[in-house]
Amino acid sequence: MRVPLGGVGWDALSLVEAADDRPVIERRAVLRDGFYETQARTMIERVPRSAGIAQSWAVSPYRGCAHACRGCGARAGHRRLGLDAGRDFDTRIVVKPNAVTRLRAELARWGGEALAVGVSGDCYQQAEATYRLMPGIVEALGEAAVPFTVYTKSPLVLRDAAVLARAGAQVAVSIAFVDERIRRGVEPGAVGAQARLELVSALVEAGVSCRVLMAPVLPLLSDGADQLAATVRRIAATGAGVVEPVVLRLPPGTRQWYLAWLGEAHPHLVERYEELYDGAGLPAADYEERITGQIGQLCRVYGMRSGPPEPPERQPRFPQLALV
């Protein structure tokens, strides 16, 4: 029997929608071929100070990264999506299909400050082979005459060598060490150092401005004098002119994931890491200065410059309007 209007009955339609306890990204995105597609509200985002790179603003068409680098500083971003900063970051990749359209709209109002590309996830990871967002992003940045650096570990970037050269892009290829045993432990989804060294040579030969991001240098694992020397020596042989060293950062999210791995692989080092890093995940200043100083000295020996490059002097094609 139906309850009269105003009564309560089991067959009455609920006025309150049942709670949806799925992760935020699953409620807002479309899952297609294993990727979460979501429409970006903004493309140009602030770079966390803990990132250790030269740029203050970044463009990232993907969130999460199949390279699964344990020390990746972008891991905490997945928590805001209702996912974890560990395995989910490695396997549940978020794609912004409207990245090019949204970026062009924002560049029309951008003041010309240098941008990093690929901070929240490698912009040339496997998802890029499917979505091909980077050619449009590079062309948009080039047309706006905004200086930018593409950060990557992937040989897929060679696909876009011509468009990168035309746009005046800088490409920073990450090669922190050349020990393959370390790479398998901390960068299990990325190609090995040899492939990245060959990538640098190929980019230089293709006329793309290229430098090596020697990051992250891992305390007590890849920071030995012989290890640093071997890495710089092999980088020099690629034809790269600039090495930008960055010591491992362990911001929230990254810290827990990295130290969990360290506790399994090198338990005797956990206490020393706890002493070396502050609450924000930054290494002790004297340690960082010593390591970057050693790398700088090695670079001088091999005829390279060490440190972040000076951004090119370029006026934006779409200057920011003055709010008068």
Side-chain angles (χ1 to χ4, degrees):
M1 166 178 153
R2 185 174 295 276
V3 177
L5 186 64
V8 178
W10 290 110
D11 63 344
L13 292 175
S14 174
L15 298 179
V16 180
E17 186 179 354
D20 190 340
D21 58 358
R22 293 177 299 163
V24 173
I25 190 61
E26 292 188 359
R27 287 182 268 131
R28 296 180 180 176
V30 175
L31 183 61
R32 182 174 288 115
D33 297 328
F35 299 108
Y36 290 98
E37 293 184 0
T38 184
Q39 298 299 304
R41 297 179 180 178
T42 182
M43 282 302 298
I44 301 177
E45 301 174 319
R46 175 74 72 174
V47 175
R49 291 184 179 180
S50 62
I53 61 175
Q55 297 80 15
S56 299
W57 298 91
V59 172
S60 295
Y62 308 105
R63 290 192 181 279
C65 188
H67 294 336
C69 301
R70 300 185 188 278
C72 179
R75 288 183 174 276
H78 255 45
R79 289 178 169 177
R80 295 191 289 273
L81 304 176
L83 303 173
D84 71 57
R87 182 65 176 165
D88 283 350
F89 181 86
D90 303 340
T91 60
R92 304 174 82 171
I93 310 302
V94 180
V95 181
K96 305 171 186 176
N98 67 329
V100 177
T101 302
R102 184 66 249 161
L103 177 60
R104 286 187 178 277
E106 293 175 28
L107 288 174
R109 303 184 299 273
W110 189 244
E113 191 171 354
L115 297 173
V117 182
V119 172
S120 296
D122 196 315
C123 49
Y124 281 101
Q125 62 179 292
Q126 184 57 39
E128 173 60 18
T130 299
Y131 287 90
R132 297 183 64 91
L133 296 175
M134 281 301 294
I137 288 173
V138 172
E139 289 174 353
L141 291 167
E143 291 169 7
V146 174
F148 67 101
T149 299
V150 172
Y151 289 88
T152 186
K153 292 180 172 74
S154 174
L156 182 59
V157 68
L158 272 175
R159 182 200 66 192
D160 295 340
V163 68
L164 287 162
R166 285 197 303 271
Q170 291 191 8
V171 175
V173 178
S174 176
I175 307 173
F177 37 77
V178 293
D179 188 322
E180 187 63 10
R181 292 171 301 175
I182 296 175
R183 199 278 307 165
R184 286 194 295 267
V186 299
E187 299 176 345
V191 299
Q194 182 58 36
R196 287 183 242 173
L197 291 163
E198 292 171 2
L199 170 60
V200 174
S201 296
L203 287 168
V204 171
E205 186 175 349
V208 178
S209 177
C210 183
R211 71 180 190 273
V212 171
L213 186 72
M214 197 167 163
V217 176
L218 306 175
L220 311 173
L221 290 174
S222 70
D223 62 351
D226 57 339
Q227 294 169 302
L228 297 179
T231 302
V232 173
R233 181 177 66 251
R234 291 182 65 182
I235 291 171
T238 67
V242 181
V243 172
E244 183 177 355
V246 180
V247 172
L248 175 71
R249 265 68 173 156
L250 292 176
T254 303
R255 185 188 191 108
Q256 293 85 335
W257 186 243
Y258 182 86
L259 290 184
W261 166 79
L262 193 70
E264 294 179 359
H266 306 279
H268 61 290
L269 296 181
V270 173
E271 184 176 353
R272 297 176 69 183
Y273 265 74
E274 295 285 5
E275 295 171 352
L276 184 62
Y277 282 86
D278 64 18
L282 297 177
D286 57 347
Y287 170 81
E288 185 170 31
E289 290 172 6
R290 176 169 63 82
I291 295 301
T292 56
Q294 284 181 257
I295 294 172
Q297 185 175 14
L298 287 165
C299 286
R300 287 190 291 274
V301 169
Y302 287 100
M304 296 185 294
R305 192 168 70 79
S306 177
E310 294 294 330
E313 296 287 338
R314 297 166 67 182
Q315 292 297 320
R317 185 168 300 177
F318 310 121
Q320 189 173 27
L321 297 177
L323 301 178
V324 179

